[in-house]
Amino acid sequence: MPGRAAALVLALLALPRRAAAGCAALGLCCPGRDPSCVGTGWRPDGSYGPCYCDQACEHTLDCCHDYARACPVMPCVVSQWSVWSGCAEPCKTTYRVRRRHVIQEPRNGGEVCPPLEERAGCVEYWTQQGTECKQYLIPALITTGGFGKARKKRAADDGNERVGYCVEFQIVAITPACLHSHYSYTHWMQYLREGHTVCVECQHPALDSKSLHCYGDGSGSIKNQLLHWQAVGNPQCRGTWKRIRQLDTCSCPSVHSFLFI
C-alpha cells in the first residue's frame, strides 16, 4: 500500500507539468485542419491525451486546454485610406486611385483583409505641362436632359445664368451596358442608340466661364471625326459619336436630349 500511495502522489505531482504542455508551450497555432499541429495534454472535456492547436479543433472539440488563450482570433487591421491620386492620364476618361495598407494580418480564423485599393472615374482637363486639353480629345460626360430645368433655376437664383448652346451628334457606337442597366436613375440611357441623332445642351455650371464651352463638346474637331462620350451614373455606358453642328437651342425630342456635365 505505501508503494501504491507513493506512486499516486508522484502521478499527481506530474499533472501540472503535463497540463502546461499546451499550445503556448509547444509554440503551435495552425490554420485549418492540420493533423501535425498536435501535442499531448489536457483537453476541454477533462481528458488527457493527444490535443490539437489548429482552427478546426474548436469544431472537433479536441483543442489543447490553452488554445483559446494561446491562439486568439485576430482580425485583419488596415490603415486609413490615402488621399485620391490624380487622374491616370490627362485629356481622357481614366481613373484615380486611393490605397491603404495592412497593419495586422488576420490570424487564427480572424476576419480577412478588405480590398486595399479603390478606383473611381476621373477626367483631367489639363495636360501635365499645364495647357488645356483640346476639346475634341476630351470625352463628353453626359446625363439626362431632365436635369436642365433645375440647373437653369439654380443658375438664375445664383445670378450665374449665362447663355448656353446646343450640339447635335450622331451616335456611331454604344456599349451594351447602356441597355442592360436596370436602376431607375439609368433608364434614360436606353434612348442612346446607334444611328440616332441626339442633342446635348451646354449650360451653367458645365459652361466654362473662360472658354464659354463645355468640356467634351467636340469643338475644334474635323468633319466626321469620331468623338468619345460617357454616361454619368454608369461608367460602362459609353461610346462614340460624330459632331453634326452647334445650335443656339436644342430641338430634339426630350428622350434624345441630354446635358454636358
Side-chain angles (χ1 to χ4, degrees):
M1 291 295 291
R4 291 183 181 179
L8 180 58
V9 169
L10 290 174
L12 292 173
L13 290 173
L15 289 180
R17 290 193 294 272
R18 294 165 76 186
C23 300
L26 297 171
L28 294 176
C29 287
C30 307
R33 184 56 169 169
D34 186 350
S36 66
C37 195
V38 63
T40 301
W42 293 106
R43 294 185 288 262
D45 62 2
S47 61
Y48 184 86
C51 62
Y52 293 86
C53 300
D54 58 13
Q55 291 177 16
C57 74
E58 292 185 305
H59 301 287
T60 53
L61 303 178
D62 54 4
C63 297
C64 293
H65 70 282
D66 66 341
Y67 173 77
R69 183 176 72 255
C71 306
V73 174
M74 300 177 66
C76 177
V77 178
V78 297
S79 66
Q80 296 292 320
W81 286 109
S82 67
V83 297
W84 285 103
S85 70
C87 295
E89 294 182 63
C91 304
K92 61 172 63 176
T93 302
T94 55
Y95 60 88
R96 52 182 179 161
V97 180
R98 65 174 183 174
R99 296 183 175 91
R100 54 187 174 185
H101 62 271
V102 175
I103 298 175
Q104 174 184 283
E105 294 283 355
R107 296 178 58 187
N108 308 318
E111 186 176 354
V112 299
C113 294
L116 302 178
E117 180 178 293
E118 279 190 350
R119 295 187 177 190
C122 183
V123 179
E124 177 55 64
Y125 298 118
W126 296 83
T127 67
Q128 295 177 347
Q129 291 72 37
T131 57
E132 192 172 17
C133 299
K134 294 180 180 180
Q135 287 293 325
Y136 63 85
L137 293 177
I138 302 171
L141 298 180
I142 63 171
T143 188
T144 173
F147 289 121
K149 293 181 179 180
R151 259 190 179 181
K152 290 178 178 179
K153 184 179 185 303
R154 286 196 300 272
D157 293 342
D158 296 339
N160 293 320
E161 189 171 17
R162 302 187 187 95
V163 177
Y165 59 91
C166 179
V167 182
E168 287 185 358
F169 296 94
Q170 183 181 32
I171 298 177
V172 176
I174 186 172
T175 58
C178 300
L179 306 179
H180 299 154
S181 187
H182 303 296
Y183 297 104
S184 59
Y185 58 85
T186 62
H187 285 172
W188 62 273
M189 299 176 191
Q190 64 185 303
Y191 298 107
L192 293 163
R193 298 295 180 95
E194 293 181 3
H196 283 187
T197 297
V198 297
C199 296
V200 187
E201 190 171 359
C202 175
Q203 57 181 235
H204 178 83
L207 179 62
D208 183 71
S209 59
K210 294 182 179 180
S211 67
L212 297 180
H213 279 279
C214 284
Y215 288 112
D217 72 352
S219 57
S221 62
I222 61 176
K223 186 177 181 180
N224 291 326
Q225 181 175 350
L226 287 180
L227 308 171
H228 293 269
W229 58 266
Q230 179 175 314
V232 173
N234 180 1
Q236 302 305 316
C237 177
R238 55 185 182 271
T240 57
W241 56 20
K242 295 178 181 178
R243 179 182 167 113
I244 300 175
R245 58 179 175 170
Q246 179 173 320
L247 304 169
D248 291 335
T249 58
C250 291
S251 58
C252 292
S254 59
V255 293
H256 294 153
S257 296
F258 307 98
L259 289 174
F260 289 109
I261 295 295

